Amino acid sequence: MSPEQRDGRTPPNVVERVVSRLLWPIWNGTDDRLRAPLRAVLPAVLSFLALAALQPAVRTRFTHPVRESVEAAGIGAVLVATVLGGAWVIDRRPVGEYGLSLDRRWWRSFAVGGAIATAINAGALAVAVSADWATVVGVAQGAGDLPFLPAMVLVFTYVALAAAWEEVVFRGAMLKNLAEGADGPVPRWAAVGMAVLTSSLVFAFLHGGKVDHPSQYGYYLLAGLVLSGAYVLTGDLALPVGFHVWYNFTQSAVFGLGHSQRTPELLAVDIVGPARWLGEEGAVYSVFVVVGGLLLLAYLRWRDGHLGIDERVTRWTPRERGEG
């Protein structure tokens, strides 16, 4: 008697067995969901296509300052769809397993990540000014048609939504699913290490529009490794989201160090230093990204008393048995 007969199940027929074998590369029959590589890339691909369709449509129909508000709302909608669709439909897991508990502890860690990001951008500005590579030439400039404070709020909203989307896609979905898929066939440390490196390389590659020379990818690779490290040591997106949001916002809108994105600036800065040192992917920023990573490690060591891979990075709770 076959196992299926002992369990009261009907043995699969020939067609079912053929279909099962054809689907095996993309479908995990045991977990009843897509294979890990597809779960890792689909949220990024689908949401990237949505954003690629959204931005030209908005920019051709609206003008400043309505354009930025509509575009921010669209990014917010894509972010929500990515979180819910990625977790519930693609991953079949509770949303919280991405690292989005959003409780008091989460927001406290978000604030710490933001404080560290702000501090290192202040340090980068201090180095640039002391080396005569940058000069502060004004305060509260560049708001355009809006009053300065509403313009800053709009920029923060836009930057925060975009950075949060990147963290959900590259850390919450991609890194986590790659680590889950490899955990078991290889030791956990190797699975997580592979996931960190792969997601960081993809993160760097997709910032290629800002890169003029291949060596400049190193800046984005470092940033990806720092953000990924914060995620795997906590199993939570609070620190990487907080760091990413406030790093982008303070670099451009607070300390005037941005190049690729012109925004209102609390400190208007004239940058005259050599590009290899103070370009957007220059050595000064790269060094301070590393400093930021070390400060994140120091905070986690102080908070938790140890540093180690959080088990939640490779955990999967089927949504049917978990919380939505």
Side-chain angles (χ1 to χ4, degrees):
M1 183 179 294
S2 69
E4 290 83 0
Q5 290 171 325
R6 287 196 298 269
D7 294 340
R9 293 177 293 165
T10 302
N13 58 37
V14 174
V15 173
E16 289 173 334
R17 288 198 297 269
V18 170
V19 170
S20 177
R21 289 178 180 177
L22 290 174
L23 291 178
W24 184 89
I26 63 171
W27 189 258
N28 186 327
T30 302
D31 293 343
D32 197 26
R33 60 177 182 159
L34 292 168
R35 295 282 179 188
L38 287 173
R39 300 197 310 269
V41 301
L42 274 178
V45 171
L46 294 176
S47 57
F48 186 83
L49 291 174
L51 290 173
L54 166 74
Q55 290 176 330
V58 170
R59 293 174 184 180
T60 56
R61 287 172 173 80
F62 301 95
T63 58
H64 174 78
V66 175
R67 177 182 59 227
E68 290 81 3
S69 301
V70 175
E71 192 169 342
I75 294 173
V78 171
L79 172 61
V80 172
T82 301
V83 171
L84 298 181
W88 292 353
V89 179
I90 297 174
D91 280 357
R92 303 191 65 178
R93 72 169 81 249
V95 168
E97 267 195 14
Y98 273 166
L100 291 168
S101 61
L102 304 183
D103 55 15
R104 181 177 299 179
R105 177 183 172 91
W106 194 96
W107 287 109
R108 186 164 56 245
S109 295
F110 174 91
V112 171
I116 291 173
T118 301
I120 64 172
N121 277 327
L125 177 61
V127 168
V129 170
S130 64
D132 292 328
W133 292 338
T135 304
V136 178
V137 295
V139 177
Q141 296 184 359
D145 298 331
L146 291 175
F148 183 75
L149 184 57
M152 289 289 278
V153 171
L154 179 58
V155 169
F156 179 80
T157 302
Y158 187 100
V159 168
L161 290 170
W165 169 75
E166 288 188 358
E167 291 309 304
V168 168
V169 164
F170 292 112
R171 259 60 70 175
M174 185 175 293
L175 190 160
K176 184 176 180 67
N177 275 300
L178 291 175
E180 282 180 11
D183 185 30
V186 300
R188 177 168 295 178
W189 65 266
V192 172
M194 177 276 298
V196 165
L197 181 59
T198 301
S199 61
S200 298
L201 287 170
V202 174
F203 176 78
F205 175 76
L206 290 180
H207 283 82
K210 299 180 178 181
V211 170
D212 297 321
H213 188 274
S215 64
Q216 295 174 338
Y217 280 107
Y219 168 76
Y220 293 105
L221 179 59
L222 280 174
L225 292 173
V226 166
L227 294 164
S228 296
Y231 181 63
V232 302
L233 293 174
T234 61
D236 197 273
L237 282 174
L239 270 180
V241 169
F243 185 93
H244 197 161
V245 168
W246 284 94
Y247 183 88
N248 287 3
F249 177 69
T250 58
Q251 185 185 73
S252 59
V254 175
F255 298 120
L257 294 171
H259 293 259
S260 64
Q261 178 179 337
R262 296 300 178 185
T263 68
E265 295 173 334
L266 181 62
L267 298 178
V269 177
D270 183 19
I271 299 174
V272 297
R276 67 179 180 277
W277 291 104
L278 212 63
E280 188 159 356
E281 299 82 22
V284 170
Y285 297 155
S286 297
V287 168
F288 275 96
V289 165
V290 173
V291 171
L294 294 175
L295 290 174
L296 290 172
L297 290 177
Y299 166 71
L300 291 175
R301 180 68 174 80
W302 170 81
R303 188 191 73 178
D304 300 336
H306 68 281
L307 295 174
I309 296 172
D310 193 287
E311 64 177 10
R312 289 175 293 178
V313 176
T314 55
R315 178 191 299 169
W316 174 55
T317 305
R319 185 168 173 252
E320 291 80 2
R321 298 199 299 270
E323 296 179 0

